[in-house]
Amino acid sequence: MKQNISLLGLVLLLAACGQPAEKHNDKAGLRIVSVSKQLTEIIFAVGGDTALVGRDISSTWPPEAKKITAVGYHRALAPEGIISLNPTVVWNDGNWGPQPTIDQLKKVGIPLRRFDGGNTIDSTERLIRAVAAEFHNARAGDSLCQRLDRDMARADSLRKTFAGQPPLRVMVIHFGQAANQYFVLSHRGIQQQMLDWAGAVNAADTAQKWKNLSAEVVAQAQPDVILATDYGYDLQGSLEKFKQLPGVALSPAAKNNRIYRIEEHDLVYLGPRTGQNVYDLIRLIHGK
């Protein structure tokens, strides 16, 4: 009996040696403050979230990210909140500050790690793989990139089914109303790329990435569809109240009940879910 058990153990050992070693995330001692919503989402996606001890307030995806201690808005950070978390590193995409906060973090010896890219599908996939490698989880990075490619192809196929129709004029209103001004996403940045992928025309007639427009300009743009980002939409409290806003009320979007709430983070950066977000956007603006 003992001989049989020993033989069985030897067989199992040999079988295990014939398999490639499975790498595991080694997060021991790593304490990350992420001040980029794009990086935060990717960290969660590759299984590195247990190393997160802080995040900026714009890092709201996945929902579990909201349980991580917030250190402030990524461009208006105070050093004290970050330092108090005793991080071993602050991850960023270069779009953070202010500079005195960065200087103070350097002064106290907290390492700052910048990740570039992520503004095209190719560079986003490189970024995903780079973050996955930080957690020794290349397999997760590869899987996410493959899914992103499949989702983008699926979205493109859906877009082509509407190619014979006149393109819809879409306006993206960010943060809703402020002193009769509407913060509108225009023809620069990721949101424009998202509208292009969805086969829509941006109704905002401005070259700036973000633009405060008056109610009159919003009405003159005559958007077929208005995408209201989550904060501004929720501030109004309901579709009916949003429809009654000056300028918005005179648009075809309001008259035809084609105002939709959309999560801001789904429009302004690329990540593992971008292909699915484009697919959902196409369905949303076409009412499918």
Side-chain angles (χ1 to χ4, degrees):
M1 178 64 70
K2 290 183 179 180
Q3 184 179 15
N4 289 340
I5 293 176
S6 298
L7 288 174
L8 177 60
L10 180 61
V11 170
L12 292 175
L13 177 63
L14 291 174
C17 292
Q19 299 297 322
E22 185 72 28
K23 290 186 178 181
H24 298 281
N25 296 344
D26 181 11
K27 307 165 193 157
L30 185 60
R31 296 175 59 82
I32 299 172
V33 170
S34 171
V35 293
S36 161
K37 51 184 171 288
Q38 184 183 43
L39 288 173
T40 300
E41 176 171 345
I42 296 172
I43 290 170
F44 270 89
V46 302
D49 49 284
T50 59
L52 271 175
V53 296
R55 49 102 189 175
D56 72 293
I57 60 173
S58 72
S59 293
T60 57
W61 187 269
E64 293 78 11
K66 297 177 182 179
K67 299 176 183 178
I68 305 296
T69 300
V71 295
Y73 182 60
H74 60 96
R75 288 199 293 267
L77 296 165
E80 293 81 7
I82 296 175
I83 294 171
S84 68
L85 296 175
N86 193 30
T88 58
V89 65
V90 175
W91 282 16
N92 69 89
D93 58 7
N95 181 27
W96 70 302
Q99 189 60 46
T101 291
I102 296 175
D103 294 341
Q104 182 64 23
L105 295 176
K106 290 179 179 178
K107 185 176 180 179
V108 299
I110 297 176
L112 311 178
R113 178 72 186 278
R114 175 171 174 168
F115 290 79
D116 292 319
N119 56 359
T120 65
I121 294 298
D122 286 345
S123 65
T124 297
E125 291 184 351
R126 289 195 295 271
L127 179 60
I128 290 171
R129 287 190 167 96
V131 173
E134 292 289 323
F135 298 98
H136 308 291
N137 201 0
R139 179 176 296 181
D142 291 341
S143 177
L144 289 168
C145 292
Q146 291 165 9
R147 188 182 73 187
L148 177 54
D149 288 337
R150 290 194 302 268
D151 288 345
M152 287 298 295
R154 177 170 172 252
D156 190 55
S157 294
L158 179 61
R159 178 191 58 80
K160 290 176 180 177
T161 65
F162 299 102
Q165 303 177 15
L168 293 168
R169 290 174 52 79
V170 177
M171 177 173 282
V172 183
I173 298 181
H174 185 56
F175 290 146
Q177 184 185 28
N180 275 340
Q181 297 290 308
Y182 296 84
F183 202 38
V184 173
L185 279 67
S186 53
H187 291 264
R188 293 178 57 195
I190 299 301
Q191 78 285 342
Q192 180 60 49
Q193 182 63 74
M194 294 289 287
L195 292 179
D196 290 343
W197 282 329
V201 171
N202 193 334
D205 186 17
T206 173
Q208 297 180 24
K209 182 177 180 181
W210 316 89
K211 181 73 173 179
N212 281 324
L213 299 181
S214 67
E216 291 75 18
V217 173
V218 172
Q220 290 171 6
Q222 291 290 283
D224 300 307
V225 175
I226 290 176
L227 301 178
T229 58
D230 47 298
Y231 178 83
Y233 187 98
D234 295 345
L235 191 64
Q236 302 309 315
S238 69
L239 171 61
E240 289 304 316
K241 289 184 178 180
F242 200 97
K243 285 168 55 179
Q244 294 169 15
L245 291 173
V248 171
L250 300 176
S251 69
K255 295 174 183 177
N256 297 319
N257 288 320
R258 307 209 55 194
I259 299 175
Y260 306 113
R261 181 188 186 278
I262 191 166
E263 294 287 342
E264 179 257 352
H265 52 59
D266 290 346
L267 280 179
V268 299
Y269 71 93
L270 304 181
R273 299 177 301 113
T274 291
Q276 183 64 50
N277 289 340
V278 174
Y279 184 87
D280 292 342
L281 179 60
I282 296 170
R283 288 176 56 86
L284 185 65
I285 64 177
H286 286 280
K288 298 298 181 181

